[in-house]
Amino acid sequence: MFSPGACHLRAVEGKLLFWACAYLLVGAGALYFLKPAPSTAVVLIGALATMAAFWGLHFFWSWTGFAGDPFLLPLVAFFSSTSLVFLYRLNPAYAVRQFVWLMIGLFTLWVITRFLLRYRVLADYKYVYALAGIIGLLLPIFLGVEQGGAKSWLDLGLFQVQPSEFVKILLVLFLASFLAENRLALAEGTRTLMGIALPAPQEWGPLLVMWGVSLLLLIFQKDLGAALIYFTTFLAMVYASTARVAYVCLGGALFLAGAAGSYALFEHVRLRVEIWLNPWKYVETAGYQVVQSLFALAAGGLTGSGLGAGLPQFVPAVHTDFIFAAITEELGLAGGLGLLIIYMLFVYRGFVIALAARDDFACLLAAGFTALMGLQTFIIIAGVIKLLPLTGVTLPFVSYGGSSLVANFIILGLLLNISHETQVGVVEKRLARWKHWRG
C-alpha cells in the first residue's frame, strides 16, 4: 500500500545511506592503498557491489511507497560495512564469504518487505513455532558437529547452519503470539494465592515448558550464549507484556538457581566462570583467548593503532566472537564507543517502533526482536571485555557467520514491516480527519 509519507521517509533514509556508503568507501580505499595490487582490487569491487545492493533496495522501497523506518537500513549498512572491512583486513576469504551471505541477507530482506507486509498471519501459528523450535534445537544434538566447544551446528556439505540462530526468531514469534493472547490474564491474574493475583497454569504453563525445554537442550549442546539470550529475551518480553516486576524477580531467581546448578554439574560451565574470574591462571590454555583480547583492547588506546596496523590475528576466533576486540585495537576506544552508539540507536529505533505499533502482537513482536538484538550485543561485548563470562555468540551484523547474518536480516525485515503498517495507519487517520474537516 502506498503511503504519502513514504517519500519523506525514503529521502531521510537516502541521506543517511549516503554517509554509510562513504564510510564503506573510505575503509575499502584504506585497505586497498595499504597493499595496492590487482588482487587487492577485489575489496573495491566488493564495496561498490555492497553499495549497489543497499541503494537498489532503497530505490525499490521508494518506488513501491514502502513506509518502513528510515533509520534502520542505514544503521545496518554501517554494521555491514564495518564487518566487510575488518573481515577483509583479517582474512580476505572470510570477507568474500560474508559478502555472499550479505547478498543473501539483503535478498531475504527484500522478500520479507515485499511479500510479508501482512505479517499478522504469523500470530496464528504459535504452537507451530514452539514445535519447530524444539526440533531445531534437537537436531544438532543428534546430527550436529561441535565447534568452539558447542555442538550447535549442522553440516550441510557446502556450508554449515546454526539452527539456534533461527530458533531465537521462532521463540520471539511464539512469545509475541502467546503473550498477546493471554496478556490480561498474565498481568492481572485469574486466581489468588495468599492475596497475590496469579495467572492459571494453562496460561503460564506453555511459556515455562518451552523455556525449560530450550534450556535443557542447550545445556546438552553446551551453547551457553544462546541459552542466556533465550532466557533474557523471554524475561524481557514477559515484562513488556505484563509490567509485573514479580515475574522478573522470579525469573532472576530461577536463573541464579540454574546457574548454580550448572556450575556444580557441568565442567564446561565451571571452566567458563573460572576463566572469567582469573584468565591469567589459564593464560597458556583455555584463558589464552580472553587474555589476548584484553591485550588488544589495551593496545588500542583512545584512537587505535590504525587500520591494518594492529595485531588482532593473535586473538583466536577474532573474526567471530572477538571481532569487537579487533575493531577496538585498530580504531581505539573512540571507534569502539562509536560502534556501541550505533547499536544503541538501532535499539532505540526498535523500541520506538514497538511503542507506536497498532496492537499487542505487533508491539510485543517489535519489542522482543529489539530486546533480542540489544541483549545479544551486550552479552558478546561484555564477554570480550571480561564484564561477563565468555558466551560465544556473534556480534549482530558484524561478526562472521551466515546463519547469524540471515537471521538478523529476517528480524530487520519484520521490524520494518511493523513500522510500515504503523506509518500507513497514521497517514490514513490524518486523511480521514482532513476529509471530515473538508466535509
Side-chain angles (χ1 to χ4, degrees), residues 224 228 269 271-277 290 379-380 382-384 386-392:
L224 304 179
L228 183 58
V269 176
L271 182 61
R272 289 283 182 93
V273 174
E274 291 175 358
I275 292 171
W276 170 53
L277 294 174
V290 175
I379 288 169
I380 184 56
V384 170
K386 211 174 82 66
L387 182 63
L388 290 176
L390 186 63
T391 53

Side-chain angles (χ1 to χ4, degrees), residues 167-234:
V167 171
K168 65 186 183 184
I169 298 175
L170 297 174
L171 174 66
V172 173
L173 285 168
F174 168 77
L175 289 172
S177 304
F178 188 87
L179 292 171
E181 185 178 318
N182 299 275
R183 185 171 188 169
L184 289 178
L186 287 167
E188 299 177 4
T190 56
R191 58 185 63 191
T192 57
L193 177 65
M194 300 178 63
I196 301 175
L198 297 172
Q202 65 267 25
E203 289 151 357
W204 55 260
L207 298 176
L208 195 60
V209 167
M210 186 174 182
W211 166 75
V213 169
S214 299
L215 290 185
L216 287 173
L217 292 172
L218 289 169
I219 287 173
F220 286 110
Q221 289 185 17
K222 301 181 181 179
D223 194 347
L224 304 179
L228 183 58
I229 290 171
Y230 286 16
F231 180 74
T232 51
T233 301
F234 166 83

Side-chain angles (χ1 to χ4, degrees), residues 43-55:
V43 68
L44 297 176
I45 297 172
L48 293 173
T50 301
M51 291 168 52
F54 275 101
W55 278 107

Side-chain angles (χ1 to χ4, degrees), residues 23-24 27-28 31 80-90 307:
Y23 167 78
L24 174 58
L31 289 175
S80 300
S81 301
T82 303
S83 174
L84 291 176
V85 168
F86 273 91
L87 287 175
Y88 187 89
R89 180 261 177 275
L90 295 170
L307 186 62

